[in-house]
Amino acid sequence: MLGEIYMKIDVKKSRKCNFAPADSFKPGDLISIVLIIFTAVALIFFFRSGIGETGKTYAEISVWGKDSVNIYIYPLERDKILEIESSGYHFTIQILDSKVSVIHSECPDGICRNTPAISSVRESIICVPAKMIIKIVSEYKDDYDYVAY
Amino acid sequence: MIMIMSHTENKSKIISSRIALNGVFLCVALILSYIESLIPLNFIVPLPGFKLGFANISIMFVFVYLGVFDAAEISFLRVLIISILFGSVTSFAFSLSGAVLSFVSLLILRKLRFKNISWIGVSVICAVSHNIGQIIAASVVFASITVISYLPWLLIMGTVCGIITGVIMHLVSSNKNLKKIYFNLSI
């Protein structure tokens, strides 16, 4: 099958690029690196700045249940230790001094455990294998079907 | 078997040599992916989807020195095989969208004839577009835009890793012995 596909492609045209990247450092490299780093730093400042924070902040934890997404909302001012489950993995989440962190998790990669504690709006902790998202919101919206408060 | 032949000669021989070469480079990409999965970076850099991107070395090499179609094929097969062996459906979606976006950026750079850019810039742009693709896939999978808060960190780490792979590409592409090998192998 692959041979047939190869037959159809013009060998001359597809083979070999006539131009290769240069062998020494060029201004284009510097420009692209500086632009990317600048964008990243600007985005970090934006996410950390807490623009749009109005009064009380909440931790919004969305977990995947058997057939639905559940969203739990907790105020950050009250210290708490939570036990939750998402896609079959158990998590222990700690709210301490208005900061949220995952202190114990069963997920295989352990990225959520190693993420530093989050406290300002738009910051988040994500666990990819368990599909769990913890994010900080400032205004509690009514349209969520929340489970616990 | 070292072949020196023109394009008009036996087409099937060309095709088989091409399939063999693609197999070799696919293996290189797979081994590099495996090696980078052995390095436990999760504990140092807690970023979901963060990888060193060594497999990109093989794909960029094929893209520039062998052919665009071969590079696309190797890239797709690598993503498929790695997610069958070590990953899941989610990781397949993440890697595929990242691979597609970084391939598109390579195509754009090729259209611009790699002017004013060296291997470092090319691999940095590839790495960053891979990260952007991953973020797009993640926001679709999680059905939430929240994932974007990881983008700036991924961009910074992608730049660092892109510089590392770019330096490796410099070493590979300026190696005279390697050059001799692939000029004999490629038709």
Side-chain angles (χ1 to χ4, degrees):
Chain A
M1 196 197 92
L2 216 53
E4 284 167 25
I5 299 171
Y6 281 147
M7 280 292 202
K8 280 175 194 158
I9 293 158
D10 188 359
V11 177
K12 241 186 204 168
K13 220 176 179 181
S14 161
R15 263 243 183 278
K16 256 186 218 168
C17 189
N18 293 323
F19 355 92
D23 275 334
S24 57
F25 204 76
K26 290 272 172 175
D29 304 336
L30 198 68
I31 292 167
S32 51
I33 291 170
V34 166
L35 268 180
I36 291 159
I37 295 288
F38 180 78
T39 321
V41 171
L43 280 174
I44 287 171
F45 273 107
F46 173 68
F47 288 130
R48 282 280 170 92
S49 63
I51 293 167
E53 216 170 297
T54 46
K56 258 180 149 185
T57 44
Y58 300 87
E60 186 194 291
I61 304 166
S62 52
V63 298
W64 284 59
K66 273 191 183 120
D67 47 0
S68 62
V69 181
N70 297 330
I71 294 172
Y72 303 90
I73 291 168
Y74 297 95
L76 279 188
E77 54 199 28
R78 226 178 299 154
D79 293 352
K80 206 171 172 120
I81 286 184
L82 316 159
E83 296 279 341
I84 60 155
E85 193 194 329
S86 178
S87 321
Y89 298 106
H90 289 275
F91 292 91
T92 311
I93 293 163
Q94 185 189 43
I95 302 178
L96 186 69
D97 298 334
S98 303
K99 283 183 173 176
V100 190
S101 55
V102 179
I103 51 175
H104 179 258
S105 68
E106 285 178 342
C107 61
D109 59 359
I111 283 168
C112 49
R113 250 175 292 147
N114 295 314
T115 312
I118 55 169
S119 59
S120 53
V121 173
R122 279 187 294 271
E123 279 188 294
S124 55
I125 297 176
I126 293 163
C127 184
V128 177
K131 290 191 179 176
M132 178 197 66
I133 302 179
I134 306 170
K135 67 174 174 181
I136 310 286
V137 290
S138 67
E139 220 25 43
Y140 164 61
K141 287 175 203 146
D142 250 337
D143 52 330
Y144 288 125
D145 91 66
Y146 71 103
V147 179
Y149 190 85
Chain B
M1 187 173 66
I2 294 166
M3 278 167 281
I4 302 150
M5 57 168 87
S6 66
H7 294 296
T8 47
E9 272 181 55
N10 201 344
K11 208 174 177 182
S12 71
K13 260 190 181 172
I14 297 174
I15 287 161
S16 23
S17 85
R18 202 167 169 182
I19 290 176
L21 256 189
N22 288 2
V24 169
F25 279 104
L26 175 61
C27 285
V28 172
L30 288 176
I31 293 282
L32 289 173
S33 303
Y34 180 64
I35 289 172
E36 76 182 14
S37 77
L38 289 179
I39 304 169
L41 273 173
N42 279 352
F43 299 97
I44 307 160
V45 190
L47 282 171
F50 167 67
K51 268 186 278 173
L52 284 171
F54 284 158
N56 201 19
I57 297 169
S58 162
I59 289 154
M60 283 193 301
F61 188 90
V62 174
F63 187 94
V64 171
Y65 292 115
L66 297 182
V68 175
F69 176 77
D70 309 57
E73 178 203 326
I74 290 170
S75 182
F76 176 73
L77 285 177
R78 179 193 78 86
V79 168
L80 188 70
I81 293 171
I82 283 293
S83 42
I84 287 171
L85 288 179
F86 309 114
S88 58
V89 183
T90 348
S91 72
F92 175 69
F94 286 16
S95 313
L96 188 64
S97 73
V100 167
L101 219 66
S102 69
F103 198 81
V104 168
S105 72
L106 265 179
L107 282 177
I108 293 168
L109 285 173
R110 185 177 184 261
K111 260 267 175 294
L112 299 172
R113 303 183 173 209
F114 296 115
K115 239 180 206 169
N116 268 330
I117 206 158
S118 77
W119 280 113
I120 293 176
V122 172
S123 65
V124 164
I125 289 169
C126 269
V128 164
S129 48
H130 193 280
N131 288 337
I132 294 170
Q134 273 180 325
I135 287 289
I136 293 169
S139 53
V140 170
V141 167
F142 284 107
S144 148
I145 201 78
T146 317
V147 219
I148 212 169
S149 68
Y150 278 101
L151 183 63
W153 301 108
L154 275 175
L155 287 183
I156 290 173
M157 290 320 293
T159 313
V160 173
C161 296
I163 290 170
I164 295 170
T165 48
V167 169
I168 296 173
M169 270 314 296
H170 264 299
L171 299 176
V172 170
S173 67
S174 59
N175 189 323
K176 272 180 187 150
N177 290 333
L178 268 175
K179 241 177 198 164
K180 224 184 265 168
I181 292 170
Y182 65 67
F183 276 129
N184 282 333
L185 284 173
S186 62
I187 302 139

